[in-house]
Amino acid sequence: QVQLVESGGGLVQAGGSLRLSCAASGSIFSFNYMGWYRQAPGKQRELVALITSGGDTNYADSVKGRFTISRDNAKNTLYLQMNELKPEDTAVYYCHAPHFGYGYWGQGTQVTVSS
């Protein structure tokens, strides 16, 4: 199985920046796409950003212009650069790769943005 491990979360003031990393135990080259999701307490998990194997990206409207997703196949790592953070961005952020109906998920990393 493929293991995904997120890191880089923490506490930051509104307007600050964080860079999340997702390290995969195996090659991510074979995945057609990978994505970042987030989930706040009592809310549904939502897609934040997605990147295809060809480098095309998609973002949730709420983060467009502030977040940037990227991948480094040689390092088997997915990144999420988060700028101009808002309290509404507070959530556990998860790395995801497709595998049949459910896919692979990391354990999540907490991002807390204070006002």
Side-chain angles (χ1 to χ4, degrees):
Q1 64 176 22
V2 174
Q3 292 185 339
L4 305 174
V5 180
E6 302 95 336
S7 62
L11 175 64
V12 64
Q13 291 188 329
S17 298
L18 286 173
R19 190 190 193 198
L20 306 184
S21 297
C22 170
S25 62
S27 176
I28 63 173
F29 183 78
S30 62
F31 294 121
N32 294 131
Y33 66 88
M34 294 187 70
W36 286 97
Y37 291 73
R38 67 186 181 187
Q39 187 169 25
K43 300 186 68 176
Q44 294 283 338
R45 187 171 299 186
E46 64 175 350
L47 175 67
V48 175
L50 178 151
I51 185 168
T52 70
S53 60
D56 296 322
T57 58
N58 285 286
Y59 298 92
D61 289 340
S62 59
V63 307
K64 195 171 298 181
R66 299 187 297 120
F67 290 11
T68 303
I69 187 172
S70 62
R71 65 195 296 173
D72 189 331
N73 292 334
K75 297 180 179 179
N76 294 324
T77 303
L78 182 73
Y79 301 98
L80 184 68
Q81 178 66 48
M82 306 185 295
N83 298 323
E84 299 296 328
L85 284 162
K86 304 175 180 179
E88 305 90 86
D89 297 318
T90 296
V92 177
Y93 284 71
Y94 297 91
C95 177
H96 172 73
H99 182 71
F100 296 101
Y102 186 70
Y104 298 107
W105 296 89
Q107 84 291 340
T109 185
Q110 177 70 48
V111 172
T112 303
V113 184
S114 62
S115 59

